[in-house]
Amino acid sequence: MSNELQQLFENNARWAEAIIEEDPTFFTKLAKQQLPEYLWIGCSDARVPANEIVGLLPGDLFVHRNVANVVLHTDLNCLSVIQYAVDVLKVKHILVTGHYGCGGVRASMRDDQLGLIDGWLRTIRDLYYEHREHIASFPTEEAQVDRLCELNVIQQVANVSHTNIVQNAWHRDQPLSVHGCIYGIKDGIWKNLNVTISGLDQLPPQYRLRTRRPV
């Protein structure tokens, strides 16, 4: 075993010991069930640790992460996570969280070819083109990237809300809200973008789905 990996195992042992010192029954309770109230949909960036940012312990936050926190209606991985979180775990809040300075968002604003990820970022490139005049009004490249990071979160909140998974939860009066948030790597602050959607009445009519009829 490499020394680098051994260090990780030692770190884990110290972490587990510290948790047990604080609450001797923590892992016993954790092993029995998970009852999170939150689903976090965030970026894969290593600088954005979901649980630590919001001060929650293991078991309190169900997490899905991908490059640039994108929610695609063709991504069965992401949709499966959302369905399990909503239908089985009965989470009450979906936290779509981007971060300023996101490398995926920055790449979508440039014409460099990076490989397979170009296809993944295509919807953000489309979003950039749609808002190009608004984004160009910001004085620096960094500010432009950060604004597109915010717009991307807002778009992904809409994408989550447009799924039949979330809309069926609202049809059965299950309490569920989809929030858009963004994290600042430079200051550690997690900010609410105030674009929360909590029901069908907040969706544009063309995206509202009627309740599913029994077969």
Side-chain angles (χ1 to χ4, degrees):
M1 184 184 301
S2 68
N3 291 334
E4 291 86 354
L5 197 56
Q6 180 59 37
Q7 182 65 53
L8 297 183
F9 282 109
E10 291 173 0
N11 291 346
N12 168 255
R14 285 193 293 271
W15 172 78
E17 184 179 351
I19 292 288
I20 291 171
E21 279 185 17
E22 186 171 330
D23 180 359
T25 65
F26 179 82
F27 290 110
T28 303
K29 292 184 292 186
L30 192 64
K32 290 180 180 178
Q33 60 183 340
Q34 60 168 338
L35 293 171
E37 292 191 5
Y38 309 96
L39 165 61
W40 174 287
I41 299 177
C43 184
S44 299
D45 194 300
R47 300 167 296 175
V48 190
N51 285 70
E52 293 180 37
I53 287 172
V54 291
L56 294 177
L57 290 169
D60 293 335
L61 194 66
F62 200 58
V63 176
H64 175 78
R65 296 170 69 176
N66 61 53
V67 175
N69 42 274
V70 173
V71 178
L72 299 177
H73 296 300
T74 54
D75 181 4
L76 296 182
N77 184 354
C78 184
L79 294 179
S80 296
V81 170
I82 294 173
Q83 181 163 27
Y84 187 79
V86 172
D87 293 350
V88 179
L89 298 177
K90 308 292 186 186
V91 299
K92 295 178 181 177
H93 304 277
I94 298 177
L95 312 172
V96 180
T97 298
H99 67 94
Y100 290 123
C102 179
V105 171
R106 189 185 303 275
S108 72
M109 299 172 67
R110 296 177 174 175
D111 58 5
D112 300 322
Q113 187 175 154
L114 300 175
L116 183 63
I117 197 170
D118 293 328
W120 179 257
L121 297 175
R122 174 59 187 271
T123 58
I124 306 179
R125 189 178 296 275
D126 292 341
L127 188 68
Y128 173 49
Y129 184 76
E130 179 184 351
H131 295 279
R132 62 193 182 282
E133 293 181 4
H134 167 66
I135 291 169
S137 69
F138 288 78
T140 65
E141 182 191 10
E142 204 64 30
Q144 292 173 4
V145 170
D146 286 350
R147 181 53 182 156
L148 185 55
C149 289
E150 293 177 341
L151 293 173
N152 181 47
V153 168
I154 294 167
Q155 181 61 58
Q156 306 316 321
V157 167
N159 289 350
V160 172
S161 301
H162 297 166
T163 64
N164 60 1
I165 302 164
V166 169
Q167 293 194 37
N168 283 333
W170 288 331
H171 277 305
R172 59 180 179 262
D173 295 322
Q174 181 177 331
L176 179 64
S177 295
V178 185
H179 310 272
C181 306
I182 195 157
Y183 174 70
I185 291 175
K186 293 180 179 178
D187 60 12
I189 300 300
W190 184 59
K191 185 172 73 173
N192 189 350
L193 291 176
N194 297 312
V195 291
T196 296
I197 301 176
S198 301
L200 291 163
D201 60 321
Q202 292 178 260
L203 299 181
Q206 68 269 28
Y207 291 110
R208 296 178 196 170
L209 303 173
R210 287 186 292 178
T211 186
R212 186 168 53 190
R213 297 175 181 175
V215 178

